[in-house]
Amino acid sequence: MAFPKYFRDFPNLNYTFSVNKAGKPEYLTIKDFFHRLKVRDDILRETTLYTSYYVQNGKRPDQISYELYGDEQYYWIILQINDIVDYYSQWPLTTVELDKYVLKKYGSFSKAADVHHWETVETLDDDGNLVLPGGLIVSSNFSYEYRATLNGAFVTRVSLPVSVTNYDYEQNENEKKKNIFVLNERYVADFVRETTNYARNLPQDQRSEIDISSYFQ
């Protein structure tokens, strides 16, 4: 992935990480990444600014940035718009990565095949009306009865739940991460300008504090 230019204009921070024997704090100069911008929900709903995007298997933010904007450096815009602060846990895994993750989490693929939970099945009546939405988590012995017609007579039908395995669950959760928003290309320059102005107006040469009382007990 490209170098994170997003942090270039943010001020430095003298981060306190320890105290020496004389009681003097020791600092490490880092970028002040504690200021995180988040797009307002009402702005995110503006269809002229953002569009939905489906992340294909293995595609990275910098590759999407190059595809949409002709430059990989704007990958941070994609992450920021989707409120992604931890790439490794919030970005969709590849098929191979998902298998490794499932194996590590559940210990074996046989355990990954165990039932994670039960879900309802979307059920429609004879007129095509929804009587039971699908995907609701229920108990294994759940059943839903509804009236239907058969040869002109009323009958009772039953909708039973289906099992979702641990692997299915993890796969579904990973699939949800593939549906993201991307910024319309015409607004990229404005987005970069606003972010840069915000970063440059932050207080300079800040210093973190540390509680040193424990060092003198």
Side-chain angles (χ1 to χ4, degrees):
M1 189 176 291
F3 181 78
K5 295 182 180 180
Y6 169 75
F7 294 105
R8 179 180 54 191
D9 296 304
F10 279 76
N12 291 329
L13 171 69
N14 291 319
Y15 182 78
T16 307
F17 65 92
S18 68
V19 176
N20 61 26
K21 294 181 179 179
K24 182 179 179 181
E26 297 182 342
Y27 301 98
L28 177 66
T29 301
I30 62 174
K31 279 294 179 181
D32 189 358
F33 56 83
F34 295 101
H35 295 273
R36 184 172 68 88
L37 301 178
K38 183 181 184 299
V39 179
R40 283 167 34 194
D41 292 336
D42 58 329
I43 299 297
L44 189 58
R45 288 192 292 269
E46 290 288 339
T47 56
T48 57
L49 296 176
Y50 307 99
T51 56
S52 58
Y53 184 95
Y54 182 80
V55 181
Q56 297 293 335
N57 182 49
K59 205 157 196 178
R60 304 189 309 268
D62 58 319
Q63 294 173 323
I64 297 175
S65 174
Y66 185 81
E67 172 192 335
L68 299 178
Y69 312 131
D71 194 324
E72 64 180 10
Q73 69 166 305
Y74 300 120
Y75 72 91
W76 60 268
I77 295 180
I78 296 171
L79 297 177
Q80 191 172 96
I81 287 175
N82 292 280
D83 199 25
I84 295 176
V85 295
D86 184 353
Y87 173 80
Y88 296 100
S89 65
Q90 294 179 277
W91 191 257
L93 300 173
T94 66
T95 303
V96 174
E97 290 171 339
L98 180 62
D99 285 345
K100 291 181 179 179
Y101 172 78
V102 169
L103 185 59
K104 181 178 179 180
K105 181 174 181 178
Y106 296 100
S108 66
F109 284 116
S110 60
K111 290 184 178 180
D114 291 342
V115 176
H116 184 276
H117 66 270
W118 295 78
E119 288 185 357
T120 56
V121 176
E122 183 178 283
T123 305
L124 307 177
D125 62 16
D126 294 338
D127 296 321
N129 299 312
L130 179 68
V131 295
L132 179 65
L136 301 177
I137 298 178
V138 295
S139 61
S140 59
N141 59 357
F142 172 87
S143 65
Y144 180 81
E145 297 183 352
Y146 63 102
R147 298 187 72 183
T149 56
L150 180 64
N151 298 325
F154 285 109
V155 295
T156 299
R157 290 181 178 170
V158 178
S159 178
L160 300 176
V162 293
S163 63
V164 177
T165 67
N166 290 323
Y167 188 89
D168 290 337
Y169 169 77
E170 299 297 344
Q171 191 174 46
N172 291 338
E173 290 298 300
N174 192 61
E175 188 66 23
K176 293 177 184 178
K177 298 176 183 178
K178 295 182 178 181
N179 296 299
I180 65 173
F181 289 101
V182 293
L183 182 67
N184 190 307
E185 183 181 8
R186 73 181 71 174
Y187 300 113
V188 169
D190 295 328
F191 199 98
V192 172
R193 183 182 64 252
E194 291 298 320
T195 302
T196 300
N197 289 337
Y198 170 80
R200 290 177 177 176
N201 287 321
L202 289 172
Q204 301 294 316
D205 300 323
Q206 293 294 297
R207 177 175 295 181
S208 69
E209 302 296 335
I210 187 172
D211 181 8
I212 63 174
S213 59
S214 59
Y215 288 86
F216 300 97
Q217 294 178 354

